[in-house]
Amino acid sequence: KLMAGLRRRLEAGGVEFIEGRAMEGFRRDGAVARAVLSGGESIEASRFVVATGAMTPMLNDHLGFKIPIEPGKGYSITSARTDSMPVHPLIFEDSHVAVTPMTTGLRIGSTMEFVGYNTSIHPRRLSLLTAAAAKYLREPVAGEVEETWYGWRPMVWDGRPIIDQAPAHKNVWIAAGHSMLGLSMATGTGRLMTELVSGDRPHVDPKPYRASRFL
């Protein structure tokens, strides 16, 4: 509901979404980016923000430095609803496993695996989720399993995101590396990025988030 609401709000403000297309780099004029290259098309703009999460290191050569983001792989299992499933979201602190009841089912998720951009789903990792949930739930996965899933968290070793101008360009900015707090930090990051791109006075000190701390 949150993401759908954000999309409706953005589209009402004139934002256009182009989905299912890889970013291949920038068309440059010296230190100024003129367009994003994608699928054989050149998408022109005067300013660009790269907010690509755990995939940001794929653009190292285009952004001008080695971005220290590591993909922290997490897993989840989504099953159908049952009468015995919890009503409220839960976190089991001993295992850091989270249980999220939804109108469409029940999701159990957790783990932090550093294996690079590995796309496989390991059954042992999934069994850790169900074993942890079984300590507290009558039926941790009682309904039919609808999805087993993995995702990469954009982890940075000092725990702070990168919100700054890209070293290789005068008009490209980076907003990535929020670890496990991307959703809760999104509004503050959006405001700070708007101020930096527009040249307005930042509402918070941007120094702790500068890319230069890694250069």
Side-chain angles (χ1 to χ4, degrees):
K1 288 182 179 179
L2 173 63
M3 299 306 293
L6 287 172
R7 178 162 185 154
R8 286 194 299 270
R9 182 73 175 268
L10 290 167
E11 288 178 330
V15 173
E16 178 185 359
F17 287 84
I18 302 173
E19 298 180 282
R21 295 252 300 270
M23 177 183 172
E24 297 156 2
F26 294 101
R27 177 165 58 79
R28 299 173 57 176
D29 181 4
V32 177
R34 298 298 185 188
V36 165
L37 303 177
S38 176
E41 185 180 356
S42 182
I43 305 170
E44 297 184 355
S46 59
R47 290 167 289 189
F48 303 86
V49 175
V50 176
T52 45
M55 306 302 289
T56 309
M58 303 291 186
L59 302 171
N60 282 347
D61 292 341
H62 303 289
L63 297 174
F65 79 114
K66 186 176 181 180
I67 297 168
I69 289 176
E70 290 289 335
K73 191 176 182 181
Y75 290 81
S76 73
I77 301 171
T78 302
S79 59
R81 289 184 60 88
T82 67
D83 293 336
S84 64
M85 64 183 280
V87 176
H88 302 289
L90 304 168
I91 296 179
F92 307 134
E93 285 297 331
D94 58 340
S95 59
H96 300 291
V97 166
V99 175
T100 307
M102 303 177 291
T103 56
T104 55
L106 180 71
R107 178 167 294 158
I108 304 172
S110 187
T111 79
M112 179 72 77
E113 188 179 30
F114 290 99
V115 289
Y117 293 96
N118 182 290
T119 60
S120 60
I121 294 180
H122 297 292
R124 187 178 67 83
R125 289 283 178 174
L126 298 178
S127 66
L128 292 175
L129 300 180
T130 54
K135 292 172 62 178
Y136 301 97
L137 303 182
R138 294 192 186 97
E139 299 176 296
V141 186
E144 179 183 354
V145 173
E146 298 177 342
E147 181 185 48
T148 56
W149 178 90
Y150 74 89
W152 293 312
R153 307 176 185 95
M155 308 299 292
V156 179
W157 64 265
D158 67 353
R160 285 175 282 148
I162 302 165
I163 307 172
D164 197 7
Q165 183 178 332
H169 303 90
K170 294 180 178 180
N171 63 331
V172 176
W173 284 263
I174 304 168
H178 292 71
S179 299
M180 294 180 287
L181 299 174
L183 190 60
S184 55
M185 295 180 71
T187 51
T189 297
R191 179 179 174 184
L192 179 57
M193 184 55 65
T194 299
E195 294 159 347
L196 294 175
V197 170
S198 303
D200 296 334
R201 182 177 180 180
H203 73 286
V204 295
D205 182 4
K207 185 176 180 180
Y209 313 111
R210 287 179 180 162
S212 58
R213 72 188 193 271
F214 301 119
L215 298 177

